[in-house]
């Protein structure tokens, strides 16, 4: 089973919207922290390969603001490249679609 997380900048207006999308993934506990630190530790919860797609990144940056957008992308890239105690047991891929 492949889990998919699609963050569409045309529909996401805040980090809260991102957390709502993450909370819909299978195996994410109800107590998921709804913050960037918790998102950074997402690898410890996933039980299937995870494909993350960021659509309309320019719109996402506009909606989140430059700082929150940059931090979100850093967190997603860190999750993809995880090499610490939260390393996912399953691969995480990240695609940032350019529009």
């Amino acid at each position: 089973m492949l889990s998919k997380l699609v963050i569409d900048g045309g529909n996401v207006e805040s980090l809260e919207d991102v957390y709502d999308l993450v909370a819909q993934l299978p195996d994410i506990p109800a107590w998921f922290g709804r913050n960037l630190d918790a998102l950074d530790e997402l690898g410890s919860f996933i039980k299937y390969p995870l494909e993350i797609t960021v659509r309309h990144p320019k719109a996402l940056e506009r909606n989140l603001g430059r700082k929150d957008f940059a931090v979100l992308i850093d967190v997603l890239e860190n999750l993809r490249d995880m090499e610490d105690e939260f390393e996912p047991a399953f691969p995480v891929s990240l695609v940032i679609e350019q529009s």
Side-chain angles (χ1 to χ4, degrees):
M1 176 177 180
L2 173 69
S3 295
K4 294 184 180 188
L5 171 62
V6 177
I7 302 171
D8 187 335
N11 297 322
V12 171
E13 296 182 7
S14 69
L15 287 174
E16 288 299 317
D17 291 341
V18 173
Y19 305 143
D20 288 343
L21 293 171
V22 170
Q24 294 174 21
L25 290 171
D27 299 316
I28 300 302
W31 47 265
F32 170 72
R34 300 185 64 86
N35 59 58
L36 290 169
D37 288 333
L39 185 59
D40 194 41
E41 298 171 0
L42 183 63
S44 64
F45 299 114
I46 63 170
K47 299 202 179 346
Y48 305 101
L50 175 61
E51 178 182 283
I52 303 170
T53 303
V54 177
R55 293 188 179 141
H56 306 106
K58 290 182 182 184
L60 184 61
E61 181 177 17
R62 188 173 48 251
N63 292 342
L64 297 182
R66 182 172 289 157
K67 180 181 174 188
D68 282 346
F69 173 78
V71 172
L72 174 63
I73 296 300
D74 283 346
V75 166
L76 295 177
E77 289 173 342
N78 184 50
L79 182 60
R80 176 196 62 203
D81 302 333
M82 194 70 64
E83 293 182 8
D84 62 17
E85 71 270 20
F86 298 111
E87 183 171 352
F90 297 94
V92 176
S93 66
L94 173 63
V95 176
I96 300 175
E97 296 179 350
Q98 301 302 319
S99 38

XYZ file of all heavy atoms in Angstrom:
790
model
N 0.856 -1.180 0.000
C 0.000 0.000 0.000
C 0.895 1.234 0.000
O 1.833 1.332 0.774
C -0.896 -0.020 1.226
C -1.752 1.197 1.363
S -2.831 1.023 2.810
C -3.685 2.541 2.711
N 0.580 2.181 -0.833
C 1.288 3.442 -0.929
C 0.399 4.547 -0.379
O -0.750 4.681 -0.793
C 1.652 3.740 -2.391
C 2.261 5.096 -2.687
C 3.660 5.175 -2.085
C 2.324 5.335 -4.188
N 0.907 5.310 0.574
C 0.166 6.462 1.083
C 0.578 7.680 0.279
O 1.745 7.815 -0.100
C 0.487 6.700 2.556
O 0.035 5.632 3.335
N -0.371 8.561 0.022
C -0.087 9.767 -0.749
C -0.537 10.994 0.031
O -1.638 11.025 0.569
C -0.792 9.728 -2.099
C -0.281 8.639 -3.003
C -0.937 8.699 -4.360
C -0.385 7.591 -5.244
N -0.847 7.730 -6.619
N 0.340 11.982 0.059
C 0.037 13.274 0.661
C 0.216 14.314 -0.426
O 1.321 14.486 -0.951
C 0.976 13.562 1.835
C 0.923 14.960 2.446
C -0.462 15.247 3.027
C 1.997 15.115 3.509
N -0.872 14.974 -0.810
C -0.819 16.006 -1.837
C -1.093 17.350 -1.163
O -2.147 17.553 -0.563
C -1.846 15.759 -2.962
C -1.824 16.891 -3.977
C -1.586 14.415 -3.629
N -0.099 18.231 -1.259
C -0.223 19.577 -0.711
C -0.359 20.503 -1.911
O 0.615 20.785 -2.605
C 0.997 19.945 0.152
C 1.164 18.926 1.284
C 0.849 21.370 0.692
C 2.454 19.069 2.061
N -1.572 20.936 -2.176
C -1.873 21.747 -3.352
C -1.944 23.217 -2.947
O -2.857 23.619 -2.225
C -3.192 21.296 -3.967
C -3.500 21.972 -5.286
O -2.996 23.086 -5.541
O -4.253 21.372 -6.080
N -0.962 23.986 -3.414
C -0.914 25.407 -3.077
C -2.141 26.186 -3.505
O -2.433 27.235 -2.963
N -2.894 25.647 -4.460
C -4.131 26.294 -4.872
C -5.249 26.126 -3.865
O -6.224 26.877 -3.879
N -5.113 25.148 -2.968
C -6.158 24.870 -1.980
C -5.706 25.063 -0.541
O -6.543 25.164 0.352
C -6.661 23.431 -2.129
C -7.303 23.182 -3.467
O -8.002 24.033 -3.997
N -7.058 22.027 -4.035
N -4.411 25.060 -0.307
C -3.873 25.172 1.047
C -3.592 26.640 1.352
O -2.833 27.290 0.640
C -2.582 24.329 1.193
C -1.888 24.609 2.505
C -2.909 22.854 1.057
N -4.220 27.139 2.396
C -4.070 28.555 2.728
C -3.280 28.797 4.003
O -2.935 29.931 4.311
C -5.445 29.199 2.835
C -6.185 29.183 1.505
C -7.535 29.864 1.570
O -7.864 30.466 2.609
O -8.245 29.792 0.564
N -2.996 27.718 4.762
C -2.277 27.888 6.024
C -1.603 26.573 6.400
O -1.903 25.525 5.826
C -3.246 28.293 7.139
O -4.114 27.213 7.458
N -0.701 26.643 7.360
C -0.096 25.412 7.869
C -1.147 24.509 8.498
O -1.019 23.282 8.457
C 1.012 25.735 8.869
C 2.295 26.304 8.259
C 3.266 26.723 9.354
C 2.944 25.290 7.322
N -2.191 25.083 9.057
C -3.276 24.265 9.616
C -3.891 23.373 8.547
O -4.241 22.225 8.822
C -4.357 25.146 10.264
C -3.921 25.785 11.568
C -3.563 24.766 12.647
O -4.299 23.759 12.801
O -2.548 24.962 13.318
N -4.003 23.898 7.320
C -4.514 23.081 6.217
C -3.568 21.916 5.928
O -4.016 20.805 5.636
C -4.690 23.925 4.954
C -5.812 24.938 5.065
O -6.690 24.792 5.933
O -5.805 25.905 4.264
N -2.265 22.165 6.013
C -1.277 21.099 5.810
C -1.451 20.032 6.891
O -1.477 18.836 6.604
C 0.161 21.653 5.815
C 1.185 20.509 5.767
C 0.375 22.623 4.660
N -1.597 20.466 8.138
C -1.767 19.508 9.240
C -3.048 18.698 9.068
O -3.081 17.507 9.407
C -1.761 20.214 10.592
C -0.535 21.069 10.825
C -0.632 22.276 11.493
C 0.724 20.693 10.361
C 0.485 23.073 11.713
C 1.837 21.478 10.563
C 1.712 22.676 11.241
O 2.817 23.456 11.442
N -4.099 19.325 8.552
C -5.341 18.590 8.271
C -5.096 17.476 7.259
O -5.617 16.360 7.409
C -6.426 19.529 7.731
C -7.006 20.464 8.777
O -6.830 20.208 9.988
O -7.639 21.468 8.372
N -4.305 17.774 6.215
C -3.989 16.767 5.203
C -3.168 15.624 5.801
O -3.431 14.456 5.526
C -3.225 17.412 4.047
C -4.011 18.410 3.201
C -3.077 19.141 2.243
C -5.128 17.717 2.445
N -2.191 15.964 6.616
C -1.346 14.942 7.249
C -2.191 14.056 8.156
O -2.026 12.832 8.177
C -0.191 15.597 8.032
C 0.544 14.574 8.884
C 0.767 16.298 7.080
N -3.099 14.644 8.898
C -3.925 13.891 9.842
C -4.797 12.856 9.135
O -5.226 11.881 9.757
C -4.790 14.845 10.658
N -5.028 13.020 7.832
C -5.844 12.074 7.068
C -5.063 10.848 6.599
O -5.659 9.879 6.128
C -6.459 12.778 5.855
C -7.446 13.851 6.229
C -7.918 14.630 5.010
O -7.823 14.167 3.882
N -8.422 15.825 5.238
N -3.732 10.888 6.740
C -2.935 9.733 6.332
C -3.223 8.545 7.240
O -3.494 8.717 8.427
C -1.440 10.071 6.407
C -0.906 11.053 5.375
C 0.518 11.448 5.736
C -0.968 10.449 3.982
N -3.126 7.331 6.690
C -3.327 6.157 7.534
C -2.254 6.088 8.627
O -1.123 6.515 8.418
C -3.167 4.976 6.571
C -2.999 5.535 5.222
C -2.829 6.998 5.316
N -2.620 5.593 9.759
C -1.701 5.345 10.878
C -1.184 6.597 11.574
O -0.279 6.505 12.399
C -0.511 4.472 10.446
C -0.978 3.122 9.945
O -1.854 2.525 10.604
O -0.499 2.677 8.899
N -1.745 7.756 11.275
C -1.349 8.962 12.005
C -2.233 9.014 13.250
O -3.462 9.028 13.155
C -1.530 10.237 11.155
C -0.678 10.164 9.888
C -1.196 11.477 11.970
C 0.803 9.985 10.132
N -1.617 9.031 14.423
C -2.423 9.005 15.656
C -3.224 10.291 15.837
O -2.847 11.359 15.351
C -1.370 8.862 16.762
C -0.090 9.314 16.169
C -0.178 9.067 14.695
N -4.320 10.174 16.536
C -5.189 11.330 16.792
C -4.448 12.429 17.547
O -4.792 13.594 17.430
C -6.424 10.894 17.570
N -3.420 12.061 18.288
C -2.680 13.042 19.076
C -1.534 13.692 18.290
O -0.678 14.361 18.847
C -2.149 12.422 20.365
C -1.468 11.101 20.195
C -2.042 9.868 20.347
C -0.110 10.855 19.834
N -1.113 8.870 20.101
C 0.087 9.458 19.782
C 0.974 11.677 19.551
C 1.300 8.875 19.456
C 2.183 11.085 19.217
C 2.333 9.710 19.179
N -1.515 13.499 16.948
C -0.505 14.124 16.098
C -0.404 15.610 16.449
O -1.400 16.304 16.546
C -0.873 13.934 14.623
C -0.038 14.736 13.663
C 1.288 14.387 13.438
C -0.561 15.818 13.005
C 2.070 15.120 12.555
C 0.201 16.550 12.117
C 1.531 16.203 11.899
N 0.798 16.100 16.614
C 1.060 17.415 17.191
C 0.644 18.647 16.431
O 0.687 19.732 16.967
N 0.280 18.549 15.174
C -0.163 19.704 14.385
C 0.806 20.882 14.497
O 0.412 22.009 14.734
C -1.578 20.101 14.763
C -2.586 18.987 14.524
C -3.999 19.422 14.775
N -4.417 20.451 13.845
C -4.933 20.246 12.633
N -5.071 19.032 12.187
N -5.297 21.249 11.871
N 2.094 20.574 14.325
C 3.116 21.617 14.275
C 4.266 21.083 13.424
O 4.299 19.909 13.061
C 3.580 22.023 15.682
C 4.141 20.872 16.463
O 5.099 20.221 16.045
N 3.534 20.585 17.616
N 5.211 21.958 13.095
C 6.299 21.570 12.203
C 7.219 20.535 12.835
O 7.756 19.675 12.140
C 7.071 22.804 11.751
C 6.294 23.713 10.790
C 7.005 25.041 10.605
C 6.067 23.032 9.450
N 7.410 20.589 14.147
C 8.229 19.576 14.817
C 7.591 18.192 14.678
O 8.279 17.208 14.411
C 8.428 19.909 16.295
C 9.359 21.083 16.499
O 10.226 21.323 15.628
O 9.225 21.773 17.521
N 6.290 18.118 14.867
C 5.592 16.838 14.724
C 5.646 16.356 13.273
O 5.834 15.162 13.016
C 4.142 16.970 15.187
N 5.523 17.284 12.342
C 5.611 16.916 10.933
C 7.006 16.369 10.617
O 7.160 15.404 9.877
C 5.293 18.128 10.056
C 5.221 17.892 8.550
C 4.167 16.859 8.218
C 4.936 19.200 7.835
N 8.015 16.952 11.220
C 9.391 16.507 11.023
C 9.594 15.079 11.538
O 10.457 14.356 11.056
C 10.346 17.470 11.721
C 11.781 17.281 11.290
O 12.024 17.082 10.081
O 12.674 17.338 12.151
N 8.794 14.659 12.488
C 8.893 13.319 13.077
C 7.882 12.340 12.468
O 7.726 11.225 12.960
C 8.701 13.406 14.586
C 9.781 14.240 15.249
C 9.513 14.533 16.702
O 8.475 14.093 17.230
O 10.350 15.216 17.311
N 7.246 12.755 11.403
C 6.218 11.936 10.756
C 6.733 10.553 10.372
O 5.997 9.573 10.410
C 5.693 12.666 9.516
C 4.567 12.029 8.730
C 3.314 11.918 9.594
C 4.282 12.838 7.483
N 8.010 10.463 10.034
C 8.581 9.184 9.627
C 8.432 8.091 10.662
O 8.402 6.903 10.323
N 8.326 8.465 11.920
C 8.182 7.444 12.961
C 6.773 6.850 13.001
O 6.556 5.838 13.663
C 8.547 8.024 14.334
O 7.649 9.049 14.698
N 5.829 7.445 12.287
C 4.441 6.962 12.294
C 4.053 6.196 11.049
O 3.152 5.378 11.096
C 3.461 8.129 12.455
C 3.639 8.896 13.720
C 4.070 10.207 13.694
C 3.398 8.312 14.955
C 4.248 10.918 14.863
C 3.573 9.010 16.123
C 3.997 10.324 16.080
N 4.712 6.489 9.931
C 4.247 5.882 8.682
C 4.553 4.392 8.649
O 5.591 3.947 9.105
C 4.817 6.605 7.438
C 6.332 6.499 7.381
C 4.352 8.035 7.384
C 6.924 6.983 6.082
N 3.601 3.652 8.130
C 3.736 2.209 8.060
C 3.673 1.711 6.618
O 3.605 0.506 6.376
C 2.651 1.547 8.898
C 2.750 1.932 10.365
C 2.077 0.939 11.236
C 2.119 1.203 12.706
N 2.965 2.140 13.267
N 3.695 2.644 5.675
C 3.675 2.337 4.256
C 4.579 3.342 3.551
O 4.823 4.426 4.079
C 2.254 2.485 3.686
C 1.224 1.668 4.418
C 0.379 2.261 5.356
C 1.103 0.303 4.185
C -0.563 1.504 6.042
C 0.158 -0.459 4.866
C -0.665 0.146 5.791
O -1.585 -0.599 6.465
N 5.059 3.016 2.366
C 5.776 4.033 1.599
C 4.887 5.275 1.450
O 3.671 5.163 1.298
C 6.022 3.360 0.250
C 6.012 1.894 0.560
C 4.992 1.740 1.658
N 5.502 6.432 1.522
C 4.753 7.690 1.468
C 5.256 8.519 0.305
O 6.455 8.756 0.167
C 4.931 8.467 2.779
C 4.303 9.860 2.849
C 2.788 9.800 2.668
C 4.663 10.526 4.177
N 4.324 8.947 -0.517
C 4.623 9.824 -1.641
C 4.029 11.199 -1.321
O 2.811 11.330 -1.148
C 3.997 9.263 -2.912
C 4.194 10.105 -4.139
C 3.489 9.489 -5.330
O 4.027 8.511 -5.894
O 2.376 9.962 -5.667
N 4.900 12.205 -1.231
C 4.465 13.570 -0.954
C 4.605 14.374 -2.237
O 5.677 14.397 -2.847
C 5.303 14.224 0.158
C 5.245 13.395 1.440
C 4.834 15.665 0.406
C 6.229 13.842 2.506
N 3.526 15.020 -2.649
C 3.539 15.864 -3.835
C 3.121 17.271 -3.435
O 2.094 17.445 -2.773
C 2.576 15.332 -4.917
O 2.937 13.984 -5.229
C 2.622 16.178 -6.172
N 3.930 18.243 -3.819
C 3.594 19.652 -3.600
C 3.232 20.225 -4.961
O 4.065 20.295 -5.864
C 4.766 20.433 -2.969
C 4.398 21.908 -2.828
C 5.146 19.833 -1.624
N 1.980 20.613 -5.104
C 1.493 21.205 -6.348
C 1.360 22.713 -6.178
O 1.031 23.188 -5.095
C 0.134 20.619 -6.726
C 0.209 19.173 -7.090
C -1.102 18.674 -7.639
N -0.957 17.269 -8.007
C -1.884 16.360 -7.825
N -3.050 16.688 -7.310
N -1.662 15.113 -8.179
N 1.598 23.421 -7.247
C 1.481 24.881 -7.259
C 2.296 25.519 -6.127
O 1.749 26.218 -5.276
C 0.014 25.307 -7.191
C -0.836 24.683 -8.244
N -1.714 23.674 -7.962
C -0.911 24.889 -9.572
C -2.317 23.291 -9.072
N -1.839 24.015 -10.077
N 3.609 25.266 -6.116
C 4.440 25.772 -5.022
C 4.455 27.292 -4.906
O 4.559 27.827 -3.800
C 5.828 25.199 -5.315
C 5.815 24.851 -6.764
C 4.397 24.492 -7.087
N 4.335 27.994 -6.013
C 4.325 29.467 -5.937
C 3.083 29.958 -5.205
O 3.154 30.885 -4.399
C 4.433 30.083 -7.326
C 5.800 29.874 -7.934
C 5.928 30.512 -9.287
C 7.325 30.205 -9.813
N 7.609 30.846 -11.066
N 1.946 29.349 -5.481
C 0.723 29.711 -4.763
C 0.840 29.337 -3.290
O 0.398 30.090 -2.416
C -0.487 29.024 -5.393
N 1.462 28.195 -3.014
C 1.648 27.770 -1.622
C 2.526 28.769 -0.881
O 2.216 29.149 0.247
C 2.255 26.367 -1.577
C 2.413 25.746 -0.205
C 1.061 25.586 0.484
C 3.128 24.408 -0.311
N 3.602 29.215 -1.517
C 4.481 30.204 -0.888
C 3.735 31.511 -0.627
O 3.863 32.119 0.427
C 5.711 30.464 -1.756
C 6.668 31.456 -1.147
C 7.919 31.674 -1.967
O 7.939 31.323 -3.165
O 8.880 32.208 -1.402
N 2.924 31.921 -1.579
C 2.131 33.144 -1.418
C 1.138 32.992 -0.257
O 0.973 33.901 0.552
C 1.409 33.451 -2.731
C 0.698 34.766 -2.783
C 0.144 35.087 -4.179
N -0.602 33.998 -4.791
C -0.176 33.271 -5.846
N 0.993 33.507 -6.385
N -0.932 32.315 -6.337
N 0.498 31.830 -0.160
C -0.511 31.612 0.878
C 0.099 31.462 2.268
O -0.475 31.940 3.243
C -1.360 30.387 0.551
C -2.244 30.600 -0.655
O -2.493 31.730 -1.069
N -2.704 29.526 -1.248
N 1.236 30.767 2.348
C 1.851 30.525 3.658
C 2.765 31.663 4.094
O 3.008 31.829 5.288
C 2.679 29.230 3.635
C 1.948 27.928 3.382
C 2.931 26.764 3.460
C 0.799 27.733 4.356
N 3.280 32.400 3.135
C 4.317 33.381 3.427
C 5.667 32.736 3.193
O 5.820 31.513 3.324
N 6.644 33.541 2.842
C 7.962 33.018 2.457
C 8.605 32.184 3.561
O 9.129 31.108 3.313
C 8.875 34.184 2.073
C 10.249 33.713 1.617
C 11.066 34.841 1.072
N 10.483 35.206 -0.211
C 10.632 36.378 -0.782
N 11.336 37.306 -0.212
N 10.084 36.629 -1.950
N 8.532 32.658 4.799
C 9.201 31.960 5.904
C 8.574 30.586 6.172
O 9.281 29.576 6.228
C 9.151 32.806 7.172
C 9.829 32.147 8.349
C 9.737 32.994 9.594
C 10.291 32.253 10.790
N 10.065 32.938 12.030
N 7.246 30.530 6.351
C 6.580 29.253 6.633
C 6.730 28.286 5.463
O 6.900 27.077 5.661
C 5.105 29.454 6.962
C 4.880 29.957 8.376
O 5.830 29.906 9.190
O 3.753 30.390 8.672
N 6.683 28.801 4.230
C 6.861 27.949 3.062
C 8.254 27.320 3.071
O 8.400 26.113 2.875
C 6.654 28.758 1.773
C 6.986 27.992 0.526
C 6.095 27.059 0.006
C 8.184 28.203 -0.143
C 6.404 26.343 -1.145
C 8.500 27.495 -1.292
C 7.600 26.568 -1.799
N 9.272 28.137 3.321
C 10.651 27.637 3.328
C 10.848 26.586 4.415
O 11.489 25.548 4.178
C 11.630 28.794 3.513
N 10.297 26.831 5.582
C 10.425 25.865 6.671
C 9.683 24.574 6.325
O 10.189 23.478 6.558
C 9.934 26.465 8.006
C 9.885 25.414 9.102
C 10.815 27.627 8.431
N 8.485 24.682 5.761
C 7.723 23.492 5.375
C 8.508 22.659 4.364
O 8.619 21.437 4.519
C 6.363 23.885 4.793
C 5.526 22.727 4.223
C 5.156 21.731 5.311
C 4.292 23.263 3.515
N 9.064 23.293 3.352
C 9.835 22.561 2.341
C 11.058 21.914 2.982
O 11.384 20.755 2.694
C 10.216 23.472 1.162
C 8.963 23.957 0.425
C 11.178 22.761 0.207
C 8.084 22.856 -0.160
N 11.727 22.629 3.880
C 12.873 22.045 4.590
C 12.467 20.807 5.381
O 13.172 19.789 5.384
C 13.510 23.062 5.539
C 14.365 24.089 4.824
O 14.687 23.889 3.634
O 14.710 25.108 5.454
N 11.339 20.886 6.062
C 10.849 19.750 6.854
C 10.523 18.566 5.942
O 10.877 17.422 6.239
C 9.625 20.164 7.706
C 8.893 18.951 8.256
C 10.053 21.091 8.829
N 9.879 18.830 4.811
C 9.533 17.750 3.883
C 10.791 17.126 3.281
O 10.878 15.901 3.129
C 8.607 18.269 2.778
C 7.224 18.734 3.234
C 6.445 19.301 2.055
C 6.453 17.639 3.935
N 11.780 17.962 2.945
C 13.031 17.432 2.417
C 13.770 16.614 3.481
O 14.356 15.578 3.172
C 13.915 18.561 1.892
C 13.373 19.166 0.606
C 14.134 20.388 0.141
O 14.874 21.006 0.953
O 13.975 20.753 -1.041
N 13.722 17.080 4.716
C 14.341 16.336 5.808
C 13.657 14.980 5.991
O 14.324 13.962 6.214
C 14.276 17.146 7.102
C 14.992 16.461 8.240
O 16.127 16.040 8.091
N 14.322 16.351 9.378
N 12.348 14.961 5.887
C 11.606 13.705 6.006
C 12.023 12.744 4.892
O 12.252 11.554 5.136
C 10.105 13.977 5.960
C 9.174 12.792 6.116
C 9.394 12.113 7.451
C 7.731 13.235 5.979
N 12.163 13.270 3.691
C 12.596 12.440 2.559
C 14.006 11.877 2.787
O 14.287 10.734 2.454
C 12.577 13.281 1.279
C 13.108 12.551 0.058
C 13.441 13.481 -1.075
N 14.498 14.397 -0.665
C 14.721 15.583 -1.231
N 13.957 16.001 -2.218
N 15.694 16.358 -0.821
N 14.872 12.701 3.372
C 16.282 12.337 3.531
C 16.612 11.851 4.939
O 17.783 11.768 5.300
C 17.163 13.546 3.210
C 16.938 14.076 1.813
O 16.526 13.297 0.932
O 17.170 15.280 1.593
N 15.621 11.522 5.723
C 15.776 11.215 7.139
C 16.905 10.231 7.410
O 16.958 9.171 6.817
C 14.460 10.638 7.669
C 14.358 10.588 9.166
S 14.210 12.183 9.951
C 12.664 12.777 9.332
N 17.770 10.616 8.331
C 18.881 9.751 8.732
C 19.133 9.873 10.226
O 20.266 9.996 10.671
C 20.151 10.128 7.967
C 20.062 9.838 6.492
C 21.324 10.174 5.752
O 22.336 10.492 6.402
O 21.300 10.115 4.520
N 18.078 9.864 11.020
C 18.266 9.934 12.474
C 17.322 8.964 13.157
O 16.827 8.033 12.537
C 18.092 11.368 12.992
C 16.688 11.932 12.752
O 15.755 11.143 12.494
O 16.518 13.148 12.837
N 17.056 9.161 14.421
C 16.245 8.203 15.173
C 14.812 8.091 14.673
O 14.098 7.157 15.019
C 16.248 8.542 16.670
C 15.466 9.779 17.049
C 16.267 11.068 17.021
O 17.314 11.133 16.381
O 15.820 12.033 17.637
N 14.376 9.037 13.862
C 13.008 8.988 13.334
C 12.984 8.488 11.898
O 12.030 8.666 11.192
C 12.353 10.376 13.413
C 12.238 10.883 14.808
C 12.997 11.957 15.233
C 11.394 10.284 15.715
C 12.901 12.431 16.527
C 11.293 10.747 17.014
C 12.052 11.818 17.421
N 14.066 7.844 11.475
C 14.138 7.370 10.100
C 12.957 6.451 9.800
O 12.693 5.497 10.527
C 15.442 6.611 9.868
C 15.599 6.167 8.444
C 16.978 5.601 8.172
O 17.856 5.689 9.043
O 17.157 5.065 7.082
N 12.242 6.750 8.741
C 11.085 5.926 8.410
C 11.495 4.509 8.004
O 12.537 4.303 7.393
C 10.431 6.658 7.232
C 11.385 7.689 6.783
C 12.439 7.856 7.826
N 10.672 3.568 8.356
C 10.916 2.181 7.972
C 10.592 1.988 6.496
O 11.013 1.015 5.898
C 10.062 1.259 8.825
N 9.863 2.901 5.931
C 9.458 2.828 4.535
C 9.908 4.091 3.816
O 10.023 5.155 4.434
C 7.933 2.669 4.423
C 7.459 1.381 5.031
C 7.032 1.340 6.344
C 7.460 0.218 4.286
C 6.614 0.149 6.914
C 7.042 -0.979 4.846
C 6.620 -1.017 6.165
N 10.152 4.004 2.519
C 10.660 5.170 1.805
C 9.640 6.310 1.717
O 8.436 6.083 1.655
C 10.987 4.625 0.414
C 10.192 3.373 0.274
C 10.002 2.839 1.661
N 10.191 7.506 1.712
C 9.394 8.723 1.539
C 9.920 9.418 0.296
O 11.120 9.685 0.190
C 9.511 9.662 2.757
C 8.752 10.960 2.507
C 8.992 8.972 4.016
N 9.042 9.685 -0.658
C 9.451 10.425 -1.849
C 8.801 11.801 -1.802
O 7.746 11.986 -1.194
C 9.055 9.677 -3.120
O 7.649 9.601 -3.257
N 9.458 12.750 -2.424
C 8.960 14.126 -2.459
C 9.074 14.652 -3.874
O 10.160 14.629 -4.468
C 9.776 15.013 -1.502
C 9.480 16.510 -1.544
C 8.037 16.802 -1.126
C 10.467 17.265 -0.662
N 7.961 15.119 -4.406
C 7.922 15.729 -5.727
C 7.356 17.128 -5.569
O 6.264 17.297 -5.012
C 7.029 14.921 -6.712
C 6.915 15.624 -8.038
C 7.569 13.516 -6.878
N 8.122 18.108 -6.031
C 7.629 19.483 -6.024
C 7.403 19.847 -7.486
O 8.353 20.016 -8.250
C 8.618 20.438 -5.345
C 8.845 20.005 -3.899
C 8.102 21.888 -5.430
C 9.895 20.797 -3.144
N 6.134 19.912 -7.852
C 5.776 20.187 -9.248
C 5.970 21.671 -9.535
O 5.491 22.513 -8.787
C 4.329 19.793 -9.512
C 4.078 18.305 -9.354
C 2.633 17.926 -9.596
O 1.768 18.819 -9.706
O 2.370 16.704 -9.639
N 6.668 21.950 -10.592
C 6.853 23.344 -11.004
C 5.747 23.718 -11.961
O 5.445 22.969 -12.884
C 8.227 23.526 -11.658
C 9.377 23.154 -10.743
C 9.389 23.959 -9.446
O 9.134 25.173 -9.429
N 9.666 23.289 -8.338
N 5.145 24.880 -11.727
C 4.037 25.279 -12.608
C 4.469 26.276 -13.629
O 5.535 26.782 -13.646
C 2.889 25.849 -11.790
O 3.325 26.618 -10.711
